[in-house]
Amino acid sequence: MSIELLAFYLFASVAVVAALGVISLRNPVHAVLSLVLTFFSIACVWLLLDAEFLALALVVVYVGAVMVLFLFVVMMLDIKVAATREGFIRFLPVGIAVALVMLLEMLALIGVRAMRVAPPADPAIANGMANIQWLGQALYTRFLLPFEVAALILTVGLVAAVALTLRRREGVRHQDAARQSQARARDRVRLVSMPAERNEEPRS
Amino acid sequence: MPNLNDILTLLPEAYLTGAICVLLLLDAFISERQRAAVHWLTLLVLGITALLVISGQMQGTASAFGGMYLRDPLAEILKLAAIAVTAIVFLLARPYIEDRRIAFGEFHTLTLFALLGVMLLVSAGSLIMIYLGLELLTLSSYALVALNRDSPLSSEAAIKYFVLGALSSGLLLYGMSMIYGATGTLDLNVIRMMVPMTPHHGLLVFGLVFLIVGIAFKFGAAPFHMWLPDVYEGSPTAVTVFIGSAPKLAAVGMALRLLDMGLPELLRDWQPMLAVLAVLSLAIGSLLAIVQTSLKRMLAYSTIAHMGYLFLGLAAGTAFGNAVAVFYAIAYALMATAAFGIILALSRAGFEADQIDDLKGLNQRSPWFAGLMAITMFSLAGVPPLFGFFAKLLVLQAAISAGMLWLALVGAVFAIIGLYYYLRVVKVMYFDKPAADSVLAASRNLPLRWVLSLNALALLVLGVLWGPLFDWCLRAFTAA
């Protein structure tokens, strides 16, 4: 068994265990941390496969986005500042555990890639083409149609999000700068001349 | 490298994409009073797209983008049927959408996006295009279901649809990754050639199971039907009429691409799976439809039963069986638009005619619509000489000719059970007195009345003249 295969089994089993944790842990914050670990382990697998750009994108986009989600969860669960601080300490052990596993994975990855002798499988990459360049070329040639359709799917997401959330409320006072600057005194103030009247009512 | 030829082959979809973008912008800048323009322009776009599909097909079968996109007779039939159904949906849905103040422009553009997904899906030549076409279709559908924002039922249906749809997409993708792992390619034609050569037969069958589950989910075949009644009931009827019709055409296209084009060598493996799905769908659909009081739910369970019949045709695995499945999908789509169209015609602002009891005494109030509904119900039940009868007959014939006599017998038995709940609707319309407080009145919207009438009468006419349509379907599988 080569060392790469060993590393793959390590990353894959961490990913599977962490994924199980996502759906079985009762505490939502623990579940989110577990999800971060899942993504991270998958990114490590991708790095083993020489997909550097995809792996980094996964970490930046998903782990980053999930961290934001994590923040939302914390914000929604504990609104008070003191409680948030308490939550921080309470969740610290799990956070540290996740961070330690991540560190372990990173060290393993660095070790494996340093020890590796076999050239990358793809001939273009073996010839020194950068990973991201290869990806870009594939996306705009062989996979142009799926790429464009994926863009359409994102457009649908955009249209749907606007259609489902934009509400035109009645009675909301909008500020219309053009109308404001066009206002004249005679539009706003009306001088009415009224005949003076004597108060005929008897005083009581 | 993609070149101009590829884009010309893709012209119908490319045109539709551009038109959707224009309509989207137009809707944003047009004033409320001129919104009807969006409606009629949408119909014009559909007409031009249909012409482009026909003129493209006249230049013969072709593939573009390295086999990712296929132009063949199967894609042509399904695309034209989907475009026709979508046009019917727009014409039927307009008064309903306007009465309920559902986002008018978004309804049109999202439905067009869904149609684009259908078109890409039925033309897909690789696993990745199947997945993306499907996502385009379903993502638009989720939004359409939730479009009536003031109704909690609609939001609930959208969430259920979204979660289960995401799950089924995951299962489908997992199956695809297994197939990819076993054959090393995404191209369906190459997969077909690789299947006999690959040593990983177990992996292929493992992936196949997940593909079948994904397909069954999209069809709404039992036991993966749980989302269907809730979604049909919860979504605005204008949307139900769409998701009850066009996506079924897409699903049959997807099933044929994956199973017939990609994995015909595994027929012995997928035939029993489809047979089991067919029997379960027939049983659950027919039996649960009997106890429904909501017309929309009843039609949802009837959909499940009809998908069972469709699977009988697919399970045959022959050219005849495939043609029958396509024919059945078209027949079902036309019946579904007519059946839900009646609900649309009888609904108005603040009142949904979606309970079976709402139809009580419809014959006294509006004999014409009662007649149309009766035709539709008889056609769904499979009463000769209507369209639905011949669709059912051909399906049973396909099952028998593939040596699955028992399956045909099960289909026939459930067709008789199915008669009960369709005839109950007819009985309610003709023999029950209208409720004292009933204010049943048919819509006065002229396009709706005309399209609905033509749609229901088409079931009558096609019941006599189904031959050419079926020949067309058959040619798609025997010409190649």
Side-chain angles (χ1 to χ4, degrees), chain B residues 37-51:
Chain B
V38 174
H39 178 75
W40 297 114
L41 277 176
T42 305
L43 290 172
L44 180 70
V45 164
L46 286 180
I48 296 176
T49 311
L51 286 180

Side-chain angles (χ1 to χ4, degrees), chain B residues 158-386:
Chain B
I159 289 287
K160 277 183 184 160
Y161 194 16
F162 180 70
V163 171
L164 288 175
L167 179 67
S168 78
S169 290
L171 292 175
L172 189 71
L173 267 185
Y174 190 60
M176 285 177 174
S177 70
M178 292 298 147
I179 302 283
Y180 178 69
T183 59
T185 174
L186 291 170
D187 192 305
L188 286 167
N189 276 320
V190 185
I191 287 176
R192 186 178 57 226
M193 285 185 283
M194 291 295 291
V195 166
M197 288 185 269
T198 174
H200 313 289
H201 188 260
L203 195 60
L204 271 178
V205 177
F206 186 70
L208 176 69
V209 173
F210 285 94
L211 287 189
I212 299 264
V213 171
I215 293 171
F217 242 116
K218 294 304 168 193
F219 270 111
F224 308 103
H225 64 284
M226 293 80 72
W227 58 275
L228 206 119
D230 289 335
V231 170
Y232 274 34
E233 191 190 17
S235 42
T237 312
V239 174
T240 312
V241 63
F242 179 74
I243 56 174
S245 52
K248 306 299 176 211
L249 296 165
V252 79
M254 175 170 96
L256 286 171
R257 292 285 178 210
L258 284 173
L259 299 179
D260 181 54
M261 194 174 142
L263 302 166
E265 299 284 337
L266 299 182
L267 173 69
R268 202 168 306 171
D269 295 302
W270 53 257
Q271 192 169 40
M273 296 185 211
L274 289 187
V276 169
L277 287 173
V279 171
L280 281 177
S281 305
L282 285 170
I284 288 179
S286 303
L287 295 178
L288 289 184
I290 294 175
V291 294
Q292 302 304 320
T293 53
S294 156
L295 185 56
K296 271 161 106 179
R297 277 188 95 83
M298 189 212 94
L299 286 172
Y301 281 105
S302 114
T303 304
I304 298 170
H306 279 282
M307 292 308 116
Y309 287 109
L310 208 157
F311 274 22
L312 290 187
L314 283 178
T318 55
F320 181 75
N322 293 341
V324 167
V326 172
F327 182 74
Y328 201 94
I330 296 173
Y332 178 72
L334 278 180
M335 294 190 279
T337 49
F340 287 111
I342 300 278
I343 303 180
L344 284 175
L346 298 179
S347 301
R348 60 184 176 278
F351 173 71
E352 298 269 343
D354 62 353
Q355 300 297 316
I356 294 178
D357 284 348
D358 289 340
L359 295 181
K360 269 187 183 169
L362 180 64
N363 186 41
Q364 295 174 20
R365 300 295 171 90
S366 172
W368 178 245
F369 279 98
L372 295 180
M373 187 63 169
I375 290 176
T376 311
M377 285 295 129
F378 282 132
S379 181
L380 280 167
V383 174
L386 292 157

